[in-house]
């Protein structure tokens, strides 16, 4: 009776929550290559068929969990000026994403055939758009978000992924300074 | 007797060749998620233990095959001038790597824990270095290879991987032109 009273949306949300939480716990305990759908299903208390029906396969589920972790929960910090807003956002982003956890999220997002990679980009574009609007609201000249993606975000993500060069705060600041200087 | 006469290097090279060829054949026939080490071993005629000993795991083997395909076999085309050399190289690179085969190679290279990602970068750096030296040999001003990686290669690879934007020849040419214009 109690079960029948649960609305579909409520049950659906609870399954999502249980499965996501289980994946995060497993990722903290073992290498992702050891994780399987039956293992997640057993620990989360849902049938494996529910996971396959809802998420497709393991790579799509891992991508969904990674994307959920990356979903913006707050606007980037307001430091009072466009240059320092962009710098703070970018240095924090690079620090988070070059950690083992960050690299694992990229790997999950890029390993999936779903549209999670493009959605991940759009989170970053959304944040930069917030910074652009804030700058223009202050009477600052603003900047092109697409150009910031190409000239600041892309090289940082490239070097994090390919591990050919350390992505230091100084490197990030030089990219921002080069980008803003090039606009003057 | 014949077997005993084979040098270690010869046998080792033949195993590598058979395993790589088998992986390429399987990749052409099925999705990479369906490929297993025992499947490769049986088709290549080597024991699975040989593959594990030599390559670690499946992801490292797939990365090794992808890297072998990306290994430079010739210098980039000589078009007679630095700008068109870079443009031709970059447009071809983007076209190849945004294909399904190219995206699969990135996925294999980034999915491995080996150093294949950094080695993949170095192939591109090597080609750009060839173009830089060729330009200077012609008396042209040359360019900074690191800057070309950040300003041309990184955004192209970013958009191929994250699929947020089509990487067209025009987009590539604009990046090259912006990079070279910025030096003037």
């Amino acid at each position: 009776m109690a079960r029948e009273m649960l609305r579909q949306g409520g049950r659906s949300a609870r399954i999502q929550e249980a499965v996501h939480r289980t994946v995060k716990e497993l990722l903290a305990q073992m290498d992702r290559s050891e994780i399987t759908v039956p293992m997640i299903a057993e620990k989360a208390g849902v049938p494996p068929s529910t996971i396959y029906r809802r998420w497709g396969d393991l790579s799509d589920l891992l991508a969904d969990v990674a994307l959920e972790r990356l979903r913006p929960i707050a606007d980037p910090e307001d430091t009072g000026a466009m240059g320092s807003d962009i710098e703070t956002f970018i240095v924090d982003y690079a620090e988070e994403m070059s950690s083992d956890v960050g690299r694992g999220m990229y790997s999950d997002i890029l390993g999936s055939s779903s549209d999670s990679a493009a959605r991940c980009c759009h989170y970053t574009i959304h944040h930069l758009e917030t910074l652009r609007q804030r700058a223009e609201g202050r009477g600052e000249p603003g900047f092109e978000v697409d150009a910031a993606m190409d000239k600041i975000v892309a090289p940082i993500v490239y070097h994090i992924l390919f591990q050919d060069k350390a992505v230091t705060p100084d490197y990030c600041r030089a990219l921002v300074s080069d980008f803003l200087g090039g606009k003057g």
Side-chain angles (χ1 to χ4, degrees), chain A:
Chain A
M1 182 62 183
R3 175 177 288 176
E4 282 166 17
M5 286 171 64
L6 287 169
R7 285 176 304 111
Q8 181 65 27
R11 191 171 65 219
S12 174
R14 286 196 320 182
I15 288 172
Q16 154 126 356
E17 202 273 322
V19 169
H20 274 220
R21 191 182 56 238
T22 301
V23 170
K24 283 181 234 170
E25 285 167 7
L26 290 172
L27 283 171
Q29 288 162 20
M30 59 182 70
D31 191 78
R32 58 203 354 95
S33 64
E34 297 170 61
I35 298 175
T36 64
V37 169
M39 189 189 290
I40 297 165
E42 192 189 339
K43 208 164 141 64
V46 301
S49 58
T50 299
I51 295 184
Y52 289 118
R53 193 165 51 240
R54 183 152 172 167
W55 279 280
D57 63 14
L58 179 63
S59 66
D60 292 339
L61 170 55
L62 289 174
D64 190 45
V65 172
L67 201 63
E68 177 68 31
R69 285 180 165 194
L70 288 170
R71 195 186 302 275
I73 47 169
D75 281 345
E77 188 182 347
D78 186 342
T79 64
M82 183 172 81
S84 52
D85 271 7
I86 299 178
E87 192 178 289
T88 302
F89 170 67
I90 287 296
V91 168
D92 288 354
Y93 177 87
E95 189 186 356
E96 269 174 52
M97 297 309 290
S98 57
S99 67
D100 284 348
V101 171
R103 288 182 41 78
M105 290 193 287
Y106 279 135
S107 170
D108 290 342
I109 281 171
L110 296 174
S112 158
S113 54
S114 69
D115 64 349
S116 52
R119 287 168 65 202
C120 165
C121 270
H122 289 129
Y123 291 162
T124 312
I125 291 170
H126 174 82
H127 279 319
L128 289 172
E129 185 59 37
T130 301
L131 296 185
R132 184 189 68 76
Q133 288 176 11
R134 190 188 285 162
E136 292 181 0
R138 287 190 200 110
E140 293 176 291
F143 61 95
E144 280 179 40
V145 170
D146 280 358
M149 289 298 288
D150 283 5
K151 294 181 180 190
I152 306 173
V153 175
I156 288 172
V157 174
Y158 182 89
H159 296 304
I160 292 175
L161 289 174
F162 288 87
Q163 298 185 80
D164 61 317
K165 173 168 178 165
V167 176
T168 62
D170 279 351
Y171 171 73
C172 297
R173 285 186 203 107
L175 289 174
V176 173
S177 155
D178 193 31
F179 173 65
L180 294 175
K183 296 174 52 61

